Amino acid sequence: MSKVKTLILRTPGTNCDVETSYAFELAGSETELVHINKLLAKPSLLSEFQIMAFPGGFGYGDDLGAGRVLANEVRLKLGEKISRFHESGGLIIGICNGFQALVKTGILPGPMKDGQKITLTDNNSGRFECRWTYLSVNPFSTCVFTQGLDRLYLPVAHGEGKLLGSPEVINKLNSAVYYTDKDGKRNAPYPANPAGTLMDIAGIADESGRIFALMPHPERFVRGSQHPRWTGEGLKKEGDGLKIFTNAVKWAREV
Amino acid sequence: MHRIEVSLKPEWPDPKGNGVCHDIQDLGITSVSEVRVIDVYWLEGNLSDSEVLTISGELLSDQIIQTFKYDANCPLAEADGFSAIEVTYNAGVTDPVQETILKAISDLGIKGITAARTAKRYLLKGEISADELKTIGNKLLINPIVQHVVTSSSNPFPPNPEYTFKLKKIDLLAEKLKDNMASLGKEYSLSHQELSVIYEHYLKLGRAPTDAELETLAQTWSEHCCHKTFKAMLDYDGQIINNLLKQTIAKATAELNKPWCLSVFVDNSGVIEFNDEWGVCFKAETHNHPSAVEPYGGAATGIGGVIRDILGTGLAAKPIANTDVFCFGPPDLAEDKLPPGVLHPRRVFKGVRSGVADYGNRMGIPTVNGAVLFDERYTANPLVYCGTIGLIPKKYALPGKQSAGDLVVLIGGRTGRDGIHGVTFASGELNDRSTELSFTAVQIGNAIVEKRMLDTLLQARDRELFVRITDCGGGGLSSAVGEMAESTGVKIYLDKVPLKYSGLTYSEIWISESQERMLLAVNKEKLGEILALFESEGVEASVIGEFTSDRHLKLFYQDHQVADLQMNFLHNGRPQLELRATHHKTRHPEADFDCPKDFETELKNILSHWNVCSREWIIRQYDHEVQGGSVLKAMVGAENDGPGDAAVIRPVLGSKKAVVISNGINPSYADVDAYNMAASAIDEALRQIIAVGGNLERVALLDNFSWGNASRPESLGDLVHACQACHDLSLVFGTPFISGKDSLNNEFRYEDKLITIPHTLLISAIGVMEDGDKAISMDFKKSGNLIYIVGKTAEELGGSHYFKNHSFIGNRAPAVNAKRAKENMQALSCATAGGLVAACHDLSEGGLGVTAAEMAFSGKLGAHIRLADVPLAEKIEREDYILFSESNSRFLVEVAPKHQAEFEKLMSGCDFGLVGEVMSEPSLEITGRDGKEILLNTPVSELKEAWQRPMRW
């Protein structure tokens, strides 16, 4: 059987592409870093891949709001291709800036034709924050990436991570991961939910469960010594984030 | 012209506005109850109303939470109940967002747009007086260097002047006859001696120099570019020192002759071997003067510049980590102590921090550690050190070489009037009019332009599409081209340089310090391929000239030759400075206060000192984990908030091999003794590497001198001493210097006063660690474990924080016995490598007391420490001196009882003492010399609070 292939999308300002690629490789996928201009020139490239990743960073500097310029470019120039990729069974993951872009294209929560329904905006603190967060996985979510997972510990690093939208939309989201306190309880005060996001939502999936995006960075915790307290709590064999990638690769392989 | 205002819907809170509101309250203004920030956009071009609506709705605003107002009549009327201040960039200052807006509008399929500008409109709620409004504007929202307040008569798109070529020559003979040489020297920042040499040179040539030639000489011969003080002929109390750098720092490196040093002192950064395949390089720079007048832009371009140094090392390295060290005036400085024309330290601090973070975060380079120091003397002359570490294939570690016929290719950002005369500005002293006069010397950075350049450059390197690279930094093209072409010669066509706007003279193009530009030498056969690569990712690249073989620097503008300089004169013609240095010793009053009864308050006061307290506020705002290499972070311990020592990262993701990065800096000791100040900085940098489990096997150092004024003999004498310390310790520790930098004019003059910064030497260290999984952190791990101190304590409190808190300086700064320190460090490294050490932290500011407190509260555990068991280098009567002495080369080490015998055996022959135990009861207990009296018994939560409170902003 041929190997699963993951396309890691690069744009001006993407900066987590290398470690995201490394995480997918650890999970057993082949990866290719593809610049958006290359994909725009040849959108059919996408059909060679089973997984597409929108990594973290500051696409186009986040000059007009996080992910906005990239989102417009993707929506207007690649929207149809991406819809087809998804409909034919492809998996899509967005991390941090990738989440912001997916939300602003309308790909999440989807469908894209309905346009943008929610947003990710300035943290309550008004500043960029890099810190580790406790997460719990929603066991009822159909999200392919989080199947079988329960609790996670992952870092965030963002200035615009507060998820907002109308209550009707928020209540219907296919939420996949929530910010919690150390003991896994939701509704924990700052900084457990670092941006002050509605309903503690850290990541969501589309209806199919095959498009998933989150603010925390699973690719930054794939080996034990990335944990902030490994020197005190012991070196784990692998990081919590790796399972998200192995889930995706496994799913893509089995389909 | 179209004007669009984008604001949050009123039902959503405005975090950015809240931040401004908070800052206004910090100014002591309480009348403002709410702030809303509105984004303003001006679009120029032939756009229909429906197109502007599309742009506003789909691009400029977020429909979920924002609304926009589009009114062709440019309303500036004040909103109901709010006062408004609208701020935009000055004409000629790059609006960093313009380029993105134009790109994004073209994505929407809209063609007619020609230009875009942005502004911020602040709406302030409350009964605000006109005076208060002015204060808020001047002290917080507007920096007149780069911004102004928008009024109804403002024109966001002023026409740029056209430039018609006219060759400018400077008739030196006539100037001399007019007795005008002094003012000419001033205009070009050339000394009398330098100008005389130039005069003689042109007399021989029989012609007058052009302005471009004089500018080139001025830039190349500036302190910033050629370090003329370090290369001067010194008369040091009768001893002649020809080139201080060569006689001290570089000499030690040459003597050590380490085979793993791949490139030292010859390139934009120094390179050492990491493993068989890779090298790591390291460079730290200062960006002091620009940061003093425009903290955000100055600091952002400081980090941008040092990143380009790494990109411009060898045949291009990949930046993998940043480390930043800042020196500011105290954040709580009283307004009436602020010299005229100077920004408040708090504003400088906040601006610098966000400038560095915004640039570093956007570049995707983790800021892994750093330091911040405060002293009133830094108020007018803040220091901003930015350091970057790079990863480079060993085969590309050395600088490349071009041949005649190779092309000069300029890539990256466009050239504007920004940053003109930056290096001569940086090489002079600041005064109360600096902010008015220096507006062109400040650049505005654009991290994404640099990021694009980085991404494509590394691809071009791996495909071997260029033969040499250097960065355009201080002095712009004039320095970069002049340096690069020294061995060959070059022709440059200045009209081929892409400009941000029209109206620049050929000289301005030549010396502009616009950011995000690099210079490449490209073989003609590879030109097509490299241009295509850059174009594919949107990086502008232009051929601006060709290397020759005549060793002349020739400049052309529209077919006119505007300069012809001999490389030999340009690089070797500068007359060597002759300076006098003298040894002196300042005596301070001896400390005179009784040993306090209340040790708890003393300890808390040091923990709360600006120089010691928690830096979490800063650190959290840096992305310190991007690139995925993190092993030991800046904040460690049970709650991820303890003060880590050196940073450890794994630059090659699949390999356990790690690099260790640390800084040492101790300007307080310079008030006592410059030699010991420098020695202490080196010791501190090395201590931190040892503390995290590193060793001295492969450690390289950087020196970075910031002096007040090196032209005074006493001050220069101190510089000589500091350099000698660098030489001596480098040799004994076996740790070579691989690169360095200096900024020797950090004085501020106003009225009849002169403020001089303390002599400040930043030592940065980089080491290689075989296995990152062997790293250890500083937090106590387990109750019942033993606590050892390594190294001896002496009564060395000169310049200490304990004395500072009692308003004394003292006369005995901590010295370093390097030979003994090295033995202790090596033994300790063996113990950590053998897995015997559970935690280790070095003793620095605040000595044993602070170190024990930090290890305890970081581990959420208690500790018992016995002063009676602390090994002393001499008899010390006072217990407060033992507890707070800042003697160098000391560590506090946690060892499990089961490793006691093995640890003590490994350390036998070293200076160490078993001074205590880790306790489950979370308080710090310290007993005195008699072994009984409890000097202090305080809950660690209180100590932590004292340490966290000051900078909990």
Side-chain angles (χ1 to χ4, degrees):
Chain A
M1 197 181 88
S2 69
K3 255 193 151 182
V4 171
K5 282 184 76 183
T6 303
L7 181 151
I8 315 277
L9 186 67
R10 285 176 52 230
T11 63
T14 301
N15 62 32
C16 303
D17 44 334
V18 174
E19 54 270 40
T20 303
S21 166
Y22 179 69
F24 270 110
E25 281 170 13
L26 279 183
S29 173
E30 277 178 20
T31 62
E32 195 177 325
L33 301 173
V34 178
H35 193 273
I36 188 158
N37 291 354
K38 190 171 168 190
L39 193 60
L40 289 172
K42 197 184 167 201
S44 61
L45 261 184
L46 201 48
S47 59
E48 298 169 18
F49 297 87
Q50 290 82 48
I51 305 173
M52 181 181 191
F54 289 75
F58 291 81
Y60 299 101
D62 282 354
D63 282 342
L64 300 170
R68 169 64 63 196
V69 175
L70 175 60
N72 273 357
E73 191 171 30
V74 166
R75 176 173 62 92
L76 296 165
K77 298 183 172 176
L78 290 168
E80 214 174 294
K81 281 283 166 194
I82 290 178
S83 294
R84 218 169 305 142
F85 173 78
H86 175 234
E87 281 155 19
S88 63
L91 297 181
I92 298 174
I93 184 170
I95 301 168
C96 195
N97 199 228
F99 188 8
Q100 292 159 337
L102 289 177
V103 156
K104 291 179 184 182
T105 54
I107 292 174
L108 277 176
M112 194 177 357
K113 64 175 170 44
D114 292 355
Q116 181 183 347
K117 290 182 193 159
I118 55 175
T119 196
L120 286 155
T121 184
D122 292 332
N123 295 353
N124 276 349
S125 64
R127 52 188 185 230
F128 181 96
E129 287 191 43
C130 181
R131 63 168 74 245
W132 282 67
T133 56
Y134 295 95
L135 303 163
S136 71
V137 171
N138 177 4
F140 307 108
S141 170
T142 55
C143 178
V144 165
F145 297 77
T146 52
Q147 288 306 305
L149 304 184
D150 177 15
R151 305 264 297 276
L152 300 163
Y153 189 46
L154 297 174
V156 296
H158 59 246
E160 299 180 47
K162 185 167 62 171
L163 191 142
L164 292 180
S166 67
E168 311 85 74
V169 176
I170 297 287
N171 286 330
K172 273 196 243 153
L173 289 177
N174 183 4
S175 300
V177 275
Y178 300 105
Y179 295 111
T180 67
D181 65 11
K182 210 170 182 165
D183 304 316
K185 287 201 200 70
R186 285 174 56 187
N187 282 318
Y190 173 86
N193 169 356
T197 205
L198 284 181
M199 311 275 288
D200 308 306
I201 297 168
I204 61 171
D206 76 326
E207 204 184 348
S208 74
R210 282 182 283 111
I211 307 177
F212 169 54
L214 72 172
M215 286 314 295
H217 286 270
E219 82 283 10
R220 293 188 186 180
F221 189 29
V222 295
R223 66 173 153 83
S225 59
Q226 286 166 322
H227 190 288
R229 297 186 301 276
W230 70 271
T231 52
E233 296 176 6
L235 195 57
K236 281 198 200 171
K237 245 180 108 179
E238 61 176 50
D240 292 2
L242 186 57
K243 298 186 193 79
I244 287 175
F245 301 99
T246 43
N247 265 346
V249 175
K250 195 166 151 243
W251 199 93
R253 190 182 292 133
E254 282 167 6
V255 166
Chain B
M1 189 179 67
H2 307 269
R3 177 191 159 92
I4 300 131
E5 280 188 16
V6 177
S7 51
L8 274 172
K9 290 178 184 168
E11 64 265 34
W12 297 112
D14 183 346
K16 287 205 180 89
N18 292 345
V20 176
C21 197
H22 188 81
D23 288 342
I24 290 173
Q25 278 149 13
D26 279 352
L27 290 174
I29 295 173
T30 51
S31 53
V32 179
S33 59
E34 189 191 343
V35 178
R36 311 276 297 180
V37 186
I38 293 174
D39 293 312
V40 179
Y41 300 91
W42 288 286
L43 307 178
E44 175 93 319
N46 186 14
L47 302 170
S48 70
D49 280 359
S50 79
E51 284 175 328
V52 177
L53 289 173
T54 304
I55 293 168
S56 307
E58 294 192 22
L59 178 66
L60 301 180
S61 64
D62 183 326
Q63 30 180 314
I64 309 297
I65 49 168
Q66 291 175 320
T67 56
F68 66 87
K69 226 164 71 181
Y70 157 47
D71 190 335
N73 295 325
C74 304
L76 274 164
E78 298 190 359
D80 299 332
F82 285 91
S83 310
I85 302 179
E86 187 167 321
V87 181
T88 191
Y89 287 113
N90 295 339
V93 173
T94 312
D95 188 326
V97 182
Q98 155 160 290
E99 195 196 335
T100 310
I101 298 177
L102 298 185
K103 178 247 166 346
I105 289 177
S106 104
D107 284 348
L108 292 171
I110 295 170
K111 301 270 182 278
I113 180 95
T114 55
R117 297 288 279 182
T118 63
K120 290 259 183 254
R121 186 169 170 84
Y122 299 92
L123 297 182
L124 315 172
K125 196 170 196 169
E127 296 287 318
I128 309 155
S129 70
D131 271 358
E132 285 176 330
L133 206 58
K134 207 171 157 197
T135 306
I136 294 167
N138 292 342
K139 299 225 160 177
L140 201 63
L141 304 179
I142 305 150
N143 186 341
I145 301 267
V146 290
Q147 295 161 320
H148 64 275
V149 173
V150 180
T151 62
S152 53
S153 61
S154 298
N155 179 4
F157 302 106
N160 277 305
E162 289 304 314
Y163 167 66
T164 323
F165 173 77
K166 189 168 179 281
L167 185 64
K168 193 174 163 195
K169 288 185 172 184
I170 289 93
D171 189 343
L172 292 178
L173 193 61
E175 297 288 334
K176 198 173 171 128
L177 288 174
K178 276 194 284 180
D179 211 15
N180 202 27
M181 291 302 256
S183 68
L184 194 67
K186 206 159 191 185
E187 187 184 339
Y188 287 92
S189 298
L190 288 162
S191 74
H192 172 71
Q193 197 192 5
E194 288 163 350
L195 210 51
S196 303
V197 169
I198 293 170
Y199 174 81
E200 292 297 327
H201 178 76
Y202 279 94
L203 202 63
K204 236 181 279 166
L205 290 179
R207 68 174 177 89
T210 66
D211 59 340
E213 287 172 339
L214 269 194
E215 290 282 13
T216 309
L217 290 163
Q219 305 289 326
T220 309
W221 293 2
S222 71
E223 182 69 61
H224 182 93
C225 292
C226 73
H227 316 288
K228 45 195 172 193
T229 303
F230 270 93
K231 291 177 181 166
M233 181 73 76
L234 298 186
D235 176 345
Y236 177 56
D237 292 332
Q239 180 195 348
I240 300 302
I241 303 173
N242 181 3
N243 194 324
L244 184 58
L245 187 66
K246 274 202 178 139
Q247 299 302 325
T248 58
I249 295 170
K251 191 171 159 203
T253 301
E255 275 178 44
L256 288 169
N257 193 22
K258 296 285 185 189
W260 43 265
C261 282
L262 302 180
S263 170
V264 292
F265 294 118
V266 291
D267 205 344
N268 289 317
S269 73
V271 191
I272 65 169
E273 186 181 74
F274 177 67
N275 62 17
D276 289 344
E277 195 185 343
W278 298 95
V280 282
C281 55
F282 195 2
K283 176 63 174 275
E285 281 252 357
T286 55
H287 224 228
N288 303 339
H289 292 196
S291 305
V293 297
E294 212 301 84
Y296 180 87
T301 52
I303 185 88
V306 75
I307 292 168
R308 286 196 303 282
D309 275 331
I310 295 304
L311 277 178
T313 293
L315 288 173
K318 179 189 177 187
I320 54 167
N322 290 332
T323 170
D324 308 303
V325 174
F326 311 138
C327 302
F328 302 121
D332 52 357
L333 185 81
E335 288 284 339
D336 57 7
K337 282 193 168 175
L338 199 62
V342 170
L343 301 175
H344 192 273
R346 206 172 166 106
R347 183 170 180 191
V348 176
F349 184 4
K350 288 193 167 182
V352 165
R353 190 218 54 75
S354 59
V356 168
D358 281 1
Y359 208 100
N361 290 351
R362 279 190 170 75
M363 286 296 292
I365 304 168
T367 299
V368 294
N369 67 358
V372 196
L373 292 102
F374 301 93
D375 187 301
E376 210 170 310
R377 291 168 288 175
Y378 292 121
T379 300
N381 273 289
L383 304 182
V384 175
Y385 293 102
C386 296
T388 300
I389 293 99
L391 182 70
I392 188 166
K394 263 171 73 179
K395 59 180 172 180
Y396 298 134
L398 290 173
K401 222 175 157 181
Q402 76 279 10
S403 315
D406 287 345
L407 300 170
V408 184
V409 177
L410 177 66
I411 64 165
R414 294 189 154 214
T415 300
R417 209 169 267 121
D418 29 359
I420 284 178
H421 286 149
V423 298
T424 43
F425 170 59
S427 303
E429 72 172 18
L430 289 176
N431 58 45
D432 52 359
R433 291 193 60 218
S434 291
T435 44
E436 295 163 42
L437 301 176
S438 53
F439 63 97
T440 57
V442 174
Q443 313 98 331
I444 300 290
N446 187 335
I448 298 308
V449 174
E450 188 144 310
K451 177 71 166 98
R452 275 203 291 243
M453 194 161 71
L454 156 66
D455 291 347
T456 44
L457 265 178
L458 295 180
Q459 295 174 52
R461 174 196 73 190
D462 292 341
R463 281 156 63 178
E464 304 197 338
L465 298 181
F466 57 88
V467 295
R468 189 162 174 186
I469 182 168
T470 198
D471 70 308
C472 270
L477 284 174
S478 74
S479 289
V481 172
E483 252 171 61
M484 200 167 181
E486 182 180 354
S487 62
T488 51
V490 73
K491 284 195 256 186
I492 296 288
Y493 303 93
L494 291 168
D495 49 311
K496 304 262 194 260
V497 174
L499 302 180
K500 290 179 180 172
Y501 35 75
S502 63
L504 270 73
T505 70
Y506 60 86
S507 274
E508 287 176 322
I509 296 170
W510 182 232
I511 61 171
S512 159
E513 293 182 15
S514 285
Q515 294 291 295
E516 290 95 24
R517 300 178 303 162
M518 302 286 293
L519 208 58
L520 303 176
V522 177
N523 189 285
K524 276 180 182 146
E525 283 173 16
K526 300 282 175 74
L527 183 69
E529 195 179 345
I530 200 169
L531 292 182
L533 168 63
F534 288 133
E535 197 193 342
S536 73
E537 299 199 8
V539 176
E540 196 161 11
S542 317
V543 177
I544 63 162
E546 186 174 337
F547 291 98
T548 59
S549 56
D550 62 2
R551 298 207 65 215
H552 275 248
L553 171 69
K554 290 181 178 161
L555 304 180
F556 299 87
Y557 185 84
Q558 295 170 343
D559 300 330
H560 306 281
Q561 180 164 311
V562 297
D564 179 1
L565 277 164
Q566 294 165 19
M567 284 296 181
N568 191 37
F569 180 65
L570 179 61
H571 291 288
N572 306 316
R574 183 181 61 83
Q576 189 182 22
L577 264 185
E578 292 178 8
L579 297 169
R580 209 165 60 75
T582 188
H583 176 61
H584 79 115
K585 172 106 182 132
T586 314
R587 290 295 303 177
H588 302 284
E590 289 298 341
D592 180 18
F593 62 97
D594 292 336
C595 186
K597 299 267 178 296
D598 182 0
F599 275 70
E600 182 175 310
T601 303
E602 297 293 333
L603 177 57
K604 284 181 180 169
N605 284 348
I606 304 182
L607 287 168
S608 295
H609 192 284
W610 286 120
N611 283 348
V612 178
C613 69
S614 170
R615 270 78 178 114
E616 186 166 0
W617 176 82
I618 315 168
I619 295 167
R620 291 263 170 256
Q621 296 184 68
Y622 293 129
D623 189 340
H624 42 264
E625 317 220 21
V626 62
Q627 296 196 15
S630 168
V631 174
L632 265 196
K633 305 177 204 303
M635 311 244 52
V636 298
E639 294 185 324
N640 304 345
D641 57 5
D645 291 311
V648 181
I649 55 169
R650 284 179 21 171
V652 180
L653 290 178
S655 162
K656 282 187 173 182
K657 202 160 184 170
V659 292
V660 191
I661 299 142
S662 69
N663 295 297
I665 183 167
N666 268 305
S668 306
Y669 303 159
D671 292 332
V672 183
D673 184 334
Y675 187 96
N676 282 344
M677 177 278 286
S680 299
I682 294 171
D683 192 78
E684 183 181 22
L686 297 178
R687 270 185 340 249
Q688 292 200 13
I689 286 188
I690 302 300
V692 297
N695 59 57
L696 294 176
E697 293 295 302
R698 187 172 295 185
V699 175
L701 305 174
L702 307 181
D703 61 271
N704 224 308
F705 291 87
S706 289
W707 242 238
N709 179 339
S711 61
R712 272 196 293 279
E714 298 78 22
S715 176
L716 192 55
D718 286 343
L719 187 68
V720 172
H721 269 226
C723 287
Q724 279 168 344
C726 290
H727 167 263
D728 300 350
L729 271 76
S730 166
L731 275 185
V732 179
F733 281 119
T735 51
F737 283 89
I738 55 168
S739 181
K741 195 81 191 166
D742 56 271
S743 160
L744 301 178
N745 271 297
N746 292 287
E747 282 189 335
F748 185 83
R749 196 180 287 281
Y750 72 105
E751 294 157 13
D752 55 345
K753 298 190 190 75
L754 185 70
I755 310 177
T756 303
I757 62 158
H759 301 324
T760 310
L761 169 61
L762 168 66
I763 297 289
S764 310
I766 182 165
V768 177
M769 195 171 181
E770 267 321 299
D771 181 357
D773 287 355
K774 296 259 169 76
I776 45 173
S777 58
M778 50 70 70
D779 46 309
F780 282 141
K781 304 293 186 312
K782 198 167 172 236
S783 73
N785 279 356
L786 309 172
I787 301 171
Y788 290 89
I789 190 169
V790 172
K792 282 188 173 169
T793 302
E795 201 174 310
E796 296 174 311
L797 289 105
S800 70
H801 282 74
Y802 184 59
F803 273 11
K804 208 175 268 185
N805 278 353
H806 287 273
S807 308
F808 286 97
I809 293 173
N811 291 301
R812 188 173 165 202
V816 178
N817 177 344
K819 190 169 162 289
R820 191 63 182 152
K822 188 181 181 186
E823 288 162 4
N824 289 340
M825 287 180 183
Q826 282 176 323
L828 185 53
S829 287
C830 286
T832 48
L836 306 180
V837 174
C840 182
H841 194 22
D842 76 314
L843 274 66
S844 54
E845 291 95 343
L848 174 58
V850 165
T851 299
E854 288 177 343
M855 293 178 85
F857 65 62
S858 301
K860 268 186 120 175
L861 288 163
H864 175 212
I865 303 282
R866 300 177 296 268
L867 289 195
D869 294 323
V870 174
L872 303 180
E874 62 204 349
K875 194 168 158 56
I876 304 178
E877 295 293 343
R878 287 177 56 159
E879 287 169 323
D880 54 340
Y881 287 2
I882 298 173
L883 191 58
F884 299 123
S885 163
E886 297 183 6
S887 285
N888 282 301
S889 322
R890 296 180 304 157
F891 304 86
L892 212 53
V893 184
E894 179 190 3
V895 175
K898 64 176 177 189
H899 295 314
Q900 176 171 14
E902 207 180 336
F903 178 78
E904 290 182 3
K905 192 174 150 206
L906 261 179
M907 296 301 295
S908 67
C910 296
D911 308 313
F912 73 103
L914 176 57
V915 294
E917 294 83 33
V918 181
M919 319 279 275
S920 56
E921 166 75 31
S923 54
L924 177 66
E925 183 185 271
I926 294 174
T927 49
R929 293 290 283 166
D930 66 357
K932 287 185 214 125
E933 190 192 354
I934 294 173
L935 301 178
L936 174 156
N937 189 353
T938 310
V940 295
S941 57
E942 281 185 30
L943 298 171
K944 188 172 180 179
E945 175 60 21
W947 179 72
Q948 287 188 324
R949 187 175 24 82
M951 222 182 280
R952 196 183 275 140
W953 292 346

